Amino acid sequence: DMTPGLANKLSMPYCKTVCCSFPETLKYLPAGKGVYTGLPIRQSMLNGKRESGLKLCGLNEEKPIIVVTGGSQGSEIINSLMRACLPKLLRDYQICHICGKGNVDHTLEGMSGYRQFEYLNEELPNVFAMADLIISRAGATTIFEILALKKLNILIPLSPKTSRGDQVLNAASFEASGYSKVVLEDEETDLVSVIEEVFSKKASYDEKMNIDLENSTANVIREIEKYINDEC
């Protein structure tokens, strides 16, 4: 995340180098230790197949596809926000909703253009590849995967009321860079209007997201090799 959490703060005194994912993080790190490397992306996330995602979800190419995820545990707020506007959204979009364990709404099963999952693991790369827009929390790993895939996205970060506020900072960084649209969960939001706005600005988002994240893993390896060579 953009700011160091407790585990990182406890570890940093014993480290020679601290690699970080956001350039803004450097100011939070001990002088001389911080190195901006970017966040390594799982190769599997880059190898997803749109066709496999469509087959899994029973969706098609007729309407744009929105993938909604609230993280591994799901998000009651995101689930409620999404389901409240389903009738409007399904006129123009198809939706794959990863809603968290125990959060499937069985009254919505069989609704045309809408597919629910409690959780996805191995299938997630295919579902993300299928997406024309992703609505997500703002954990660092997920948002950098979205950026690496260059997907339009709306971030709804976990509120500081229930966290240390790191997701709000992550999301603010991505919005300032032009990668994301941010909706705060404490605000009243017309989600349909926000989605339409993001699609209308696709060209601008695509231009901002046209960056290379493939060097992140190599950058971290470079720092490890420096340490190994110094020790030798």
Side-chain angles (χ1 to χ4, degrees):
D1 292 309
M2 200 179 89
T3 58
L6 180 59
N8 287 316
K9 289 178 179 178
L10 292 173
S11 301
M12 285 191 293
Y14 306 98
C15 300
K16 286 191 173 184
T17 298
V18 181
C19 300
C20 61
S21 305
F22 296 83
E24 301 98 319
T25 306
L26 291 170
K27 64 185 177 184
Y28 299 103
L29 302 178
K33 287 190 176 183
V35 178
Y36 169 56
T37 58
L39 190 145
I41 305 298
R42 293 178 290 174
Q43 190 61 41
S44 62
M45 290 302 298
L46 304 177
N47 295 334
K49 299 187 181 303
R50 180 178 174 90
E51 298 79 9
S52 297
L54 291 171
K55 183 177 180 180
L56 173 71
C57 297
L59 303 179
N60 55 56
E61 301 280 6
E62 295 177 4
K63 298 178 183 178
I65 296 172
I66 300 171
V67 172
V68 184
T69 175
S72 58
Q73 302 300 314
S75 164
E76 182 178 346
I77 289 174
I78 293 177
N79 291 346
S80 298
L81 192 62
M82 173 55 55
R83 287 166 176 157
C85 57
L86 266 181
K88 288 184 179 180
L89 284 176
L90 290 175
R91 296 172 191 167
D92 299 307
Y93 308 100
Q94 301 171 93
I95 296 166
C96 171
H97 189 175
I98 308 169
C99 51
K101 187 174 182 180
N103 293 325
V104 168
D105 185 339
H106 296 287
T107 67
L108 301 175
E109 290 184 352
M111 182 178 286
S112 178
Y114 179 67
R115 182 67 192 275
Q116 302 174 85
F117 296 95
E118 287 192 341
Y119 176 75
L120 291 175
N121 185 14
E122 293 180 0
E123 304 94 341
L124 188 62
N126 296 330
V127 168
F128 271 27
M130 170 188 72
D132 297 295
L133 169 72
I134 297 175
I135 300 175
S136 173
R137 285 298 198 191
T141 298
T142 299
I143 64 176
F144 275 101
E145 289 173 344
I146 292 171
L147 179 57
L149 293 169
K150 298 176 172 51
K151 296 291 183 177
L152 286 178
N153 64 93
I154 298 169
L155 303 180
I156 307 178
L158 195 62
S159 169
K161 294 178 181 178
T162 53
S163 72
R164 67 183 181 89
D166 49 301
Q167 288 200 10
V168 173
L169 296 175
N170 294 349
S173 172
F174 266 46
E175 186 168 53
S177 296
Y179 307 148
S180 308
K181 173 68 177 178
V182 175
V183 171
L184 299 179
E185 66 177 30
D186 297 331
E187 297 177 344
E188 288 192 17
T189 302
D190 180 353
L191 188 59
V192 177
S193 295
V194 174
I195 289 170
E196 290 173 349
E197 174 194 343
V198 171
F199 273 111
S200 73
K201 297 178 178 177
K202 183 179 187 304
S204 175
Y205 284 113
D206 287 346
E207 181 182 0
K208 297 291 186 181
M209 288 191 287
N210 190 26
I211 58 174
D212 183 8
L213 297 182
E214 293 186 8
N215 289 329
S216 299
T217 300
N219 291 341
V220 174
I221 291 172
R222 182 193 66 228
E223 295 304 318
I224 294 171
E225 288 178 338
K226 282 184 186 177
Y227 173 76
I228 292 171
N229 293 333
D230 289 344
E231 289 297 298
C232 293

